[in-house]
Structure formats: C-alpha cells, structure tokens
Amino acid sequence: MSWLTQYVRPKIQGFLKKEVPDNLWKNCSSCGQMLLIKDLEKNLNICPHCGHHMRASVVQRFEWTFDSDSYTRLELPKAAVDPLQFKDKKKYTDRLKDNKTKSQLDESIAVAHGTIEGQKAVVAVMAFEFMAGTMGTAFGEGFLAAARLALLQKTPLVVFTSSGGARMQEGMLSLMQMPRTVIAVEMLKEAQIPYIVVFTDPTTGGVTASFAMLGDIHIAEPNALIGFAGPRVIENTVHEKLPEGFQRAEYLLEHGMVDIVANRKELRSTLGKILGLLSNKNQSSEKVA
C-alpha cells in the first residue's frame, strides 16, 4: 500500500466529512436565502437579498439604539412566579426556567437608560425570545418601572414592541396588564413626557390593544405585522377578503395609524432627531411657563 493510500487519502476523506456547525448560517424567513450569521449581524439582521427585517434580540436592540457605551440596564422588580400554578404539557415554572436559560433574560421586557444621538432617553424592549414577548405580571412591573424612571429623569420613554399578546399561563392576571400599562402611559402624558412606540415584527394581541397604540409618535420597521387578531381570524369573522398588505406597517402608514416607517439602519438617527425636536419644544414650554 502506497503513501498516497495510507496517508493522503484518509486525510482528504476526513476533511470532506467534517460537518459545518449549525450556528454559522441562517435562512431568511422571507425569501429563504441562506445567510452567514456573522454578515447578517453586521447588516443589523436585515436580509441583503430582499431587505426583510428579521427579529432582533434585546441586546442587539440596545446596541443598535443607544450611543456607543452610553446605556445602563435597569434591574426590574420581581413579580409572583406562577400565581395560578398553571400546567399544560409542562409546568409554567419549568417553562419560565427554560426560557430564562435560552434567552439569558428574566422576563419578556428589558429596560435601560442612556443617550440616543446625544439625547437622553429611557428605552424598554419587548423580548420575543422570551415566551414570544407575551405579557405577564412581571412584564407589567417592568413597564411600570420604565415609565417611573422616565418620570423621575424627565426624559422620553421609547418602547420597542414585539409580542404575541397576553400570556395564557397567567390568565386574567395577564389581561390586567393592559389597563396597568395604559395607566403608566397616562402618567407620562399628564407629566408631558414624550412617549414613542417603535413597532417591530410581530406586534399583536393585547399589546396592540393597549399601550402600543397610545404613543405620541408611532414608528414601525418595514413590513412589520401590527394588529390585534391574525388576518385569518379576521377573515373568518367578517367573511370578507382582506386588502393586500393588511396589518403591515406600510398599510397602516397609508391609513394614519403609523407616523413613520423607518429602515433599521436609519432608526437611531430618526429617533435622535425626534427626541431633539421634542426636547427643544419642552425647553421652550418651560421658559414660557
């Protein structure tokens, strides 16, 4: 047996059999193109082929929104765990543990304060990676903490929405977070603190039916799904074919429900300009008073 068959051939075969790690590539959820994750993250999770804005983590949102090294995370108050002792295929407490491990988050909301294009702001981000961004009692506590911090610092509150709605494992307690968040928004409005909502894909259910639609300014990422019930549910209810692009950001912009549709790459500068204008307006109002 020659050197080629003894040494070279096994080396070549071993090289060809090496498997590519699963965490190097990702398929675009819109066009299906295979994308290198490293390049995708550099492009802010925007598909270079079709421009689809893919979902983002809490950490990514903070890094993309705040000025470099300018923000501080807020430790959120704790809430009762599994108040209804809910169990379906698995215990609610086990689901929470699994989601905490996978997402490295304690709940479906994270809050930080810092500067955006030099303008001070409090930012709350809904975490779709934690139980699909659903609202529970802990979420309500987190939202109230964000509003109170904005009131204390007299700085605008910016909320990034991404949610499947209420959390069924907490039943009526989850639905009660709708009026709680609305009260928090009213506190901001009474104090004349700007409240800006940024819709990301998807924003649905009780989130849309409460604090998400109460912003002073509504911004949305391109093609974001924004609605209460899903299109199929609505079609089955009204027995009519829905318009093309119904519940998408561009459709809502045309019908006055959204003020701006901003590409993710322009979002920080857009927020900075808006915050700057609102800051100047508040300063002028204080001088007149």
Side-chain angles (χ1 to χ4, degrees):
M1 191 175 288
S2 69
W3 174 78
L4 286 173
T5 56
Q6 271 186 320
Y7 183 77
V8 177
R9 183 183 292 173
K11 284 286 185 182
I12 294 173
Q13 289 175 340
F15 176 76
L16 292 175
K17 287 180 180 178
K18 285 183 179 178
E19 295 182 0
V20 178
D22 294 334
N23 60 350
L24 289 181
W25 300 88
K26 185 175 184 177
N27 290 95
C28 173
S29 53
S30 179
C31 68
Q33 284 284 343
M34 185 176 285
L35 308 169
L36 188 63
I37 290 179
K38 188 176 180 180
D39 293 337
L40 183 62
E41 289 176 348
K42 288 181 180 178
N43 202 40
L44 306 189
N45 283 12
I46 301 173
C47 177
H49 299 282
C50 67
H52 177 63
H53 284 49
M54 301 171 74
R55 289 171 189 158
S57 68
V58 163
V59 173
Q60 287 173 323
R61 286 287 177 197
F62 284 145
E63 290 179 350
W64 298 340
T65 304
F66 285 110
D67 299 333
S68 180
D69 299 322
S70 78
Y71 72 91
T72 303
R73 292 277 290 268
L74 180 67
E75 185 175 348
L76 301 179
K78 305 298 181 183
V81 178
D82 195 11
L84 304 181
Q85 298 183 352
F86 189 92
K87 181 181 179 180
D88 45 30
K89 290 183 178 179
K90 96 170 33 171
K91 290 181 180 179
Y92 179 38
T93 50
D94 292 338
R95 288 191 185 278
L96 290 174
K97 288 177 183 177
D98 290 345
N99 277 271
K100 287 179 181 180
T101 302
K102 291 176 183 177
S103 66
Q104 296 299 302
L105 296 168
D106 290 328
E107 249 302 324
S108 59
I109 186 171
V111 181
H113 59 102
T115 61
I116 303 173
E117 297 285 305
Q119 302 294 327
K120 291 182 178 180
V122 175
V123 176
V125 177
M126 298 192 72
F128 198 83
E129 63 264 40
F130 191 101
M131 296 191 72
T134 47
M135 289 192 301
T137 52
F139 172 86
E141 292 293 336
F143 191 92
L144 284 167
R148 287 171 181 147
L149 181 60
L151 285 166
L152 181 65
Q153 296 185 346
K154 295 184 178 179
T155 54
L157 174 61
V158 180
V159 177
F160 285 82
T161 62
S162 181
S163 176
R167 187 174 298 173
M168 69 173 189
Q169 289 87 350
E170 295 190 24
M172 183 60 73
L173 295 175
S174 176
L175 296 178
M176 287 303 296
Q177 306 317 304
M178 294 171 64
R180 290 186 78 200
T181 55
V182 170
I183 290 170
V185 173
E186 288 303 313
M187 287 164 52
L188 294 172
K189 292 183 182 295
E190 287 178 9
Q192 297 186 334
I193 302 295
Y195 171 55
I196 301 170
V197 178
V198 182
F199 296 102
T200 73
D201 184 73
T203 299
T204 60
V207 171
T208 309
S210 56
F211 66 90
M213 282 298 179
L214 299 177
D216 298 312
I217 296 174
H218 290 158
I219 304 172
E221 289 190 332
N223 203 42
L225 175 66
I226 307 165
F228 178 63
R232 185 175 59 185
V233 174
I234 297 173
E235 283 189 347
N236 290 337
T237 302
V238 300
H239 303 293
E240 290 183 13
K241 183 69 177 175
L242 299 175
E244 185 70 26
F246 179 73
Q247 290 186 325
R248 293 291 173 177
E250 291 75 12
Y251 183 91
L252 296 181
L253 176 66
E254 292 177 4
H255 291 79
M257 300 297 288
V258 168
D259 300 302
I260 302 169
V261 174
N263 186 288
R264 191 174 286 165
K265 293 181 179 179
E266 302 169 354
L267 193 50
R268 180 191 289 175
S269 61
T270 300
L271 284 169
K273 290 174 184 176
I274 292 171
L275 292 173
L277 289 169
L278 293 173
S279 176
N280 291 333
K281 181 180 178 181
N282 284 348
Q283 289 174 5
S284 300
S285 299
E286 289 175 3
K287 289 179 181 178
V288 170

